[in-house]
Amino acid sequence: MPGAIGSHFRKSVNRNQQDCFAHLSRRIILTNESTSSRTGRRRRARSSAFMPTPRVQTSFYEKAEHLLTEQVKLAEFYEAINDALVLEADLPTVLQKCIEIMVEHTASAFGRIWTLDDSETVLQLQASAGLYTRLDGSYSRVPVGKYKIGLIAAERIPHLTNKLLADPRVADKEWVIRNGMVSFAGYPLVVEDRLVGVMCVFSRNPLSGLTLRTMASIAKAVASGIERKQTDLARRNVLEKLEEAR
């Protein structure tokens, strides 16, 4: 299983890198075509060589460098989550490590992970990091279909916004203003067609498209990790009962 998870992460990273370089290649081609066109016009007009404007060159390469830097950081994000998911530890410990990594690598104010309880009607808070770390607060148990988190579970659709104050699903606007929250990213944790939980982060800064796509892939890996840990626990419980019955 650890090998399968690692393969999942490497494939995701490679896809993101390919998207990144494809995007940059298109930008370079368009820039070269534009430069060639302008060069031809200017040569026809005054027979002098065209020199690209330094400011335009600098702006393009700064954007390219920023995009590549972000990609490298997201690859490190993947690897850190991968390492956490294969820890030989119980589920709450693994999920706590995962959410700490998410908060750190997305520069979020706080993040949380819930798992679906045995009744399959309530989400139980398992991990919390950042601004809030308690597991016994108001949102320690969230009914499926209620509040922002419960709706993500019921609909099994991510809820993403960089305009949190204008989000109709936010009931406490004063809390958003008081804490300077700007963005929210919440993902259902689903394995095939089975809901196993919800994960989310709140941030004081906008979350980039690359970050949101990375978190979508990570949500799939975390969901698989949860199911694997729960399956292992159920198997151990059965074996213990069999031993006791002897």
Side-chain angles (χ1 to χ4, degrees):
M1 291 305 296
I5 296 172
S7 175
H8 167 80
F9 274 90
R10 284 191 294 273
K11 288 178 181 177
S12 298
V13 171
N14 289 337
R15 281 197 299 271
N16 280 345
Q17 287 176 333
Q18 289 167 5
D19 291 344
C20 175
F21 286 118
H23 172 75
L24 290 176
S25 297
R26 287 194 296 271
R27 289 289 300 276
I28 290 170
I29 290 169
L30 290 173
T31 299
N32 288 341
E33 289 176 348
S34 177
T35 299
S36 298
S37 177
R38 289 196 299 271
T39 300
R41 288 198 300 270
R42 292 192 180 194
R43 280 176 176 169
R44 287 193 296 271
R46 62 186 184 183
S47 299
S48 62
F50 172 72
M51 296 298 292
T53 305
R55 183 175 60 81
V56 173
Q57 276 190 325
T58 301
S59 176
F60 170 74
Y61 287 113
E62 283 178 348
K63 290 179 180 178
E65 183 178 8
H66 174 75
L67 189 60
L68 288 172
T69 298
E70 183 179 17
Q71 185 62 48
V72 169
K73 289 181 178 178
L74 292 176
E76 293 173 351
F77 184 11
Y78 273 116
E79 291 302 320
I81 291 290
N82 183 35
D83 290 342
L85 288 172
V86 296
L87 286 174
E88 291 296 331
D90 61 13
L91 181 58
T93 300
V94 169
L95 295 183
Q96 182 62 35
K97 184 64 176 176
C98 285
I99 201 61
E100 289 171 358
I101 292 168
M102 285 183 214
V103 168
E104 176 185 356
H105 283 266
T106 61
S108 295
F110 76 99
R112 286 176 166 174
I113 299 176
W114 291 259
T115 58
L116 194 65
D117 71 358
D118 292 337
S119 71
E120 299 188 352
T121 60
V122 175
L123 294 163
Q124 178 70 46
L125 183 61
Q126 296 286 352
S128 186
L131 188 61
Y132 304 109
T133 57
R134 291 179 55 184
L135 300 179
D136 58 351
S138 302
Y139 296 96
S140 60
R141 290 179 60 81
V142 178
V144 173
K146 191 173 182 181
Y147 308 123
K148 183 190 294 289
I149 299 303
L151 285 170
I152 291 172
E155 297 171 354
R156 302 189 184 190
I157 299 173
H159 185 69
L160 316 170
T161 180
N162 278 326
K163 296 181 179 179
L164 190 58
L165 190 59
D167 189 341
R169 291 190 176 185
V170 175
D172 193 349
K173 306 289 187 182
E174 291 184 2
W175 175 85
V176 174
I177 296 171
R178 185 169 63 252
N179 289 280
M181 298 299 173
V182 171
S183 58
F184 170 85
Y187 298 84
L189 301 176
V190 179
V191 179
E192 295 180 354
D193 62 343
R194 302 182 300 280
L195 177 75
V196 297
V198 173
M199 75 177 203
C200 77
V201 294
F202 285 82
S203 179
R204 295 188 174 98
N205 301 294
L207 295 167
S208 72
L210 274 175
T211 298
L212 295 174
R213 289 193 293 274
T214 299
M215 290 192 66
S217 295
I218 284 174
K220 295 177 183 178
V222 171
S224 296
I226 289 173
E227 184 174 67
R228 186 174 64 257
K229 287 288 185 181
Q230 290 176 337
T231 300
D232 289 345
L233 178 60
R235 185 183 298 113
R236 286 198 303 271
N237 288 338
V238 169
L239 291 175
E240 288 175 2
K241 289 180 179 179
L242 290 174
E243 287 294 328
E244 291 173 358
R246 289 182 179 179

